[in-house]
Amino acid sequence: MRREAKGSADLNVLLDRINGRSYKAYRDLEGVWHFSEFTLFVDHTQSDPFASPSKLRVRLDSETTNLPEDALANPTRRMACASWLARAFRKTIHDIRPPRTGTGKGGLISIDAGGAEVLERTAVVFGDGFVEARIELGLPAAGRRILGGEAANLLIDVLPRIVARAWTRRSESDGRDLLHFINCIENQEIVRSSLRERNLIAFVGDGAILPRESGATERPMDRERAYPFQSPEPFRVDIEVPHADAGAPGRIWHGMGIPRGIVLLVGGGYHGKSTLLRAIERGIAPHIPGDGRETVVSDPSLVKVRAEDGRSIRDVDIRGFIDHLPKPQGESDPPSTREFSSADASGSTSQAANIVESIEAGATGLLLDEDTSATNFMVRDAKMQALIHPRDEPITPYLDRIRELYDVFGISTLLVMGSSGDYFAVADAVIEMKAYQAYDVSAKAKEIAGRGESNADVDSRTALTALTAARKRIPDRTSFDARRGRRHPKISSRGCDEMVYGTTEIDLRGIEQLFDASQTRAIGWAILYAATKIMNDRMTISAMLNELDRFFDQEGLDVLGPDHRSGHHPGALARPRRIEIAAVINRMRTLRLIRAS
Ligand code: ADP
Ligand code: MG
């Protein structure tokens, strides 16, 4: 139903009229309202005070927001500017503290501005001549009776004050902060795009604060307690960035370049190995000023791979790592490792599948941490090899594949390994973390490896070529029915830990580089979109991911939402990587593949 656009005075009259009526009468708000500084679109009103808050858009003319021209000069700067605007909006809500009134979510105003990473998201977008914030607002009620006066206060008084303070009456210092934020993000993206030509998979700037306040937050550790990162000599690189004093002092970033190839991170327990790796894992996206990791920049196709026992695996060729499994009682054949499936994978089979699937989805480098790897997948020492004949061991440890992965397939590995020196022989570089400082110990490690203590008499029973031969997997579209008997698709998620797609629960905890709940939501809708609009019975997972990326580049995220109506509030979404989309698909217990004939 289309309504005439009316002014805020009309809104006041309407709220007065529905005051005290049943909550459903709030639906009369849906439509367009003209305010002096902006236009308010009420796209969806909640059905009761406890339901998810109502969805509103606040649209300002570009001139009103008075953004500096160079804030929007390219896609990276636009993304950063949108992120700053969303964060300013959120901070102003927090400062103004709108009164929480009545029952349920009444008075709650929110915007999905994101966390430590800056991602492309739907919270703030730039349209043709306008800037728009997508917000949620809890319409107030006493029980199920509309509190019209409170609603008027929120919409006609509080909301315009937030918009003015956050967006249109920027102080001079806010203006500087905006440009600094954008410059800081752009510097990171420019360093990122230069990594390949420098033959690096990651860069960690001198002075970076890598540790976090605790395991439960992404806030930086107190600068009094944290040792800033310092690059060790042979890995030191200088990178010139366009903006001075944005991320690091001056226009040259000094730091450690992690080369392509095989790099080990060694060192005693509790000396900062995993902390460095985690910063690199998260370095696939830019970080906000003040985060401590503004100069930690990784190749966007690095994938953290871990053991994940219990996960579901469907038809993955894991022969490169695991072959000749024992025959189960009562079966005529042993389980296939060419099309390996399991409803409850082991540590080693899950890690093998995670690697093969990551490469299928486009990984160019793997990040592994001994803390989260299956021991038998990583190494098998000489004594064990003497006892257990290779014929009776299905696992070819990662150690025996790591070199081939790089030499033949160009897949780098950065591995945290403090417990086995067997990797020295295959490493291109070895970095030691000692009391949170990085040192080059490559030469010493090579010398030790040269003493012949390593067990590198590799058996190559199964060539890793299984990886390339790995049948290009074609998903069956009917695996992705999100309706499950209902009329409308239903996809919900709990943070970055779980998604319920239709009736299928998907455990996401093993997907460590999924950092934002809004990415989880976007992945759910992207899978549904791909299943209904992109996939056919010949399209591989990898081709489907290409199409999705193209779609995101061209259309943005807005059209993904559940009940997409052109221009309406799309919900809180952030752009996921193709790697994480594939990771979710691969963990769906409903996944079926189309057999290649
Ligand atoms: P490892 O993987 O080598 O066992 P971790 O990376 O888990 O060690 O670090 C151990 C502890 O030290 C963590 O609590 C972490 O927060 C802290 N830590 C790591 N790096 C630093 C640092 N640069 N400065 C201060 N504390 C740090
Ligand atoms: Mg560790």
Side-chain angles (χ1 to χ4, degrees):
M1 213 187 337
R2 288 193 77 87
R3 274 169 234 272
E4 290 273 300
K6 297 171 186 141
S8 59
D10 302 306
L11 179 58
N12 206 6
V13 171
L14 169 62
L15 289 168
D16 191 44
R17 180 164 60 74
I18 63 175
N19 182 35
R21 282 176 51 190
S22 121
Y23 204 84
K24 290 235 178 320
Y26 266 137
R27 295 192 83 172
D28 292 353
L29 293 183
E30 290 180 11
V32 185
W33 303 93
H34 286 293
F35 285 57
S36 60
E37 279 205 309
F38 58 84
T39 308
L40 176 69
F41 297 81
V42 181
D43 289 335
H44 173 78
T45 49
Q46 63 208 96
S47 54
D48 68 72
F50 295 95
S52 13
S54 302
K55 291 190 163 68
L56 280 57
R57 286 175 295 131
V58 174
R59 179 182 291 189
L60 284 79
D61 285 340
S62 302
E63 298 92 76
T64 318
T65 53
N66 195 26
L67 291 166
E69 210 168 288
D70 70 338
L72 307 173
N74 60 47
T76 298
R77 291 179 76 78
R78 270 197 293 282
M79 176 184 78
C81 184
S83 181
W84 188 92
L85 289 170
R87 287 164 203 268
F89 204 102
R90 179 173 62 190
K91 178 168 180 303
T92 311
I93 295 170
H94 187 262
D95 292 347
I96 286 189
R97 233 181 257 277
R100 293 291 299 271
T101 46
T103 324
K105 301 191 169 122
L108 185 130
I109 306 180
S110 68
I111 185 164
D112 181 47
E117 288 83 20
V118 173
L119 305 169
E120 187 183 330
R121 52 204 315 137
T122 52
V124 171
V125 295
F126 302 106
D128 197 3
F130 64 85
V131 185
E132 193 174 273
R134 284 74 182 275
I135 64 173
E136 296 199 341
L137 183 145
L139 292 168
R144 292 191 48 80
R145 301 268 147 221
I146 286 175
L147 290 171
E150 271 81 349
N153 176 47
L154 273 176
L155 293 170
I156 300 169
D157 181 42
V158 175
L159 187 58
R161 267 199 293 142
I162 294 172
V163 174
R165 207 200 281 187
W167 282 18
T168 61
R169 314 254 190 293
R170 268 193 312 280
S171 66
E172 213 171 290
S173 92
D174 281 347
R176 278 195 302 275
D177 189 64
L178 166 66
L179 281 179
H180 179 252
F181 186 98
I182 295 174
N183 290 344
C184 185
I185 302 305
E186 187 172 38
N187 276 350
Q188 294 176 63
E189 291 309 291
I190 282 174
V191 171
R192 192 183 324 284
S193 62
S194 81
L195 288 176
R196 292 224 170 146
E197 74 207 35
R198 294 171 196 275
N199 239 347
L200 301 175
I201 59 166
F203 174 86
V204 184
D206 288 350
I209 301 295
L210 309 183
R212 302 291 95 189
E213 196 173 83
S214 80
T217 158
E218 286 300 315
R219 276 194 302 275
M221 182 183 273
D222 193 340
R223 278 169 202 262
E224 310 277 274
R225 285 203 299 136
Y227 292 86
F229 185 80
Q230 216 36 67
S231 52
E233 185 34 61
F235 301 104
R236 206 164 284 164
V237 292
D238 296 340
I239 302 183
E240 190 179 344
V241 293
H243 310 292
D245 304 323
R251 278 193 52 192
I252 308 286
W253 285 12
H254 307 280
M256 173 172 78
I258 298 188
R260 296 181 64 219
I262 298 167
V263 179
L264 299 186
L265 276 176
V266 302
Y270 219 74
H271 280 251
K273 303 182 296 296
S274 297
T275 303
L276 173 57
L277 190 76
R278 226 168 296 130
I280 291 167
E281 268 165 61
R282 292 229 166 205
I284 54 169
H287 285 85
I288 56 172
D291 173 79
R293 297 169 295 190
E294 299 92 314
T295 55
V296 182
V297 177
S298 318
D299 185 300
S301 50
L302 291 186
V303 183
K304 172 71 178 294
V305 166
R306 57 172 293 159
E308 196 184 342
D309 49 309
R311 67 157 280 196
S312 159
I313 297 174
R314 179 64 67 186
D315 292 351
V316 178
D317 190 336
I318 57 171
R319 285 174 299 167
F321 300 102
I322 296 171
D323 208 356
H324 307 299
L325 292 171
K327 187 168 78 69
Q329 175 107 310
E331 304 264 326
S332 56
D333 296 306
S336 163
T337 49
R338 180 169 181 269
E339 291 177 330
F340 183 78
S341 296
S342 172
D344 183 11
S346 69
S348 56
T349 51
S350 62
Q351 195 159 3
N354 285 350
I355 289 174
V356 176
E357 291 166 351
S358 298
I359 293 170
E360 180 183 35
T364 59
L366 302 175
L367 307 173
L368 285 84
D369 191 327
E370 60 183 346
D371 294 350
T372 51
S373 291
T375 310
N376 59 347
F377 182 78
M378 300 310 293
V379 283
R380 186 149 31 95
D381 71 15
K383 286 185 180 127
M384 192 53 80
Q385 289 191 42
L387 181 67
I388 306 295
H389 193 278
R391 194 180 50 229
D392 300 318
E393 173 53 86
I395 300 175
T396 304
Y398 194 65
L399 172 66
D400 296 346
R401 291 290 182 231
I402 191 169
R403 203 60 258 172
E404 200 177 349
L405 266 177
Y406 183 63
D407 295 345
V408 180
F409 301 93
I411 312 264
S412 298
T413 299
L414 175 61
L415 168 64
V416 168
M417 180 53 81
S419 61
S420 169
D422 285 351
Y423 278 89
F424 295 167
V426 293
D428 297 313
V430 184
I431 296 164
E432 177 184 2
M433 292 305 288
K434 189 152 104 190
Y436 314 122
Q437 299 295 333
Y439 300 90
D440 171 44
V441 293
S442 308
K444 205 164 159 199
K446 278 289 164 217
E447 186 202 317
I448 295 169
R451 289 181 205 154
E453 290 164 11
S454 123
N455 61 342
D457 55 338
V458 180
D459 61 309
S460 287
R461 283 170 303 166
T462 318
L464 192 58
T465 32
L467 252 185
T468 30
R471 201 176 34 118
K472 300 277 181 230
R473 291 153 80 230
I474 298 170
D476 181 338
R477 280 174 291 171
T478 62
S479 313
F480 308 109
D481 183 358
R483 287 169 301 155
R484 306 283 143 184
R486 293 189 187 87
R487 218 151 53 84
H488 297 291
K490 181 136 180 68
I491 302 173
S492 58
S493 53
R494 197 164 47 78
C496 301
D497 287 347
E498 191 189 63
M499 183 189 299
V500 185
Y501 185 99
T503 57
T504 316
E505 288 171 20
I506 315 163
D507 186 346
L508 311 177
R509 286 171 304 173
I511 310 174
E512 296 191 334
Q513 288 166 298
L514 181 61
F515 346 102
D516 193 306
S518 303
Q519 286 180 307
T520 316
R521 275 188 289 273
I523 290 174
W525 298 112
I527 293 172
L528 179 65
Y529 182 87
T532 49
K533 305 245 167 68
I534 296 180
M535 287 183 210
N536 58 46
D537 293 346
R538 293 173 310 282
M539 188 177 273
T540 60
I541 290 186
S542 136
M544 184 266 283
L545 296 170
N546 292 343
E547 287 301 306
L548 271 178
D549 265 338
R550 231 163 45 112
F551 171 75
F552 288 143
D553 286 342
Q554 281 170 5
E555 310 290 328
L557 298 166
D558 271 8
V559 291
L560 265 193
D563 37 28
H564 169 65
R565 281 167 295 166
S566 190
H568 277 222
H569 193 308
L573 304 173
R575 183 162 176 175
R577 286 197 307 175
R578 53 189 288 137
I579 306 278
E580 278 70 39
I581 299 172
V584 173
I585 290 175
N586 280 317
R587 282 161 183 74
M588 293 178 80
R589 289 178 188 275
T590 46
L591 177 63
R592 285 179 309 276
L593 293 153
I594 293 175
R595 306 267 149 182
S597 48

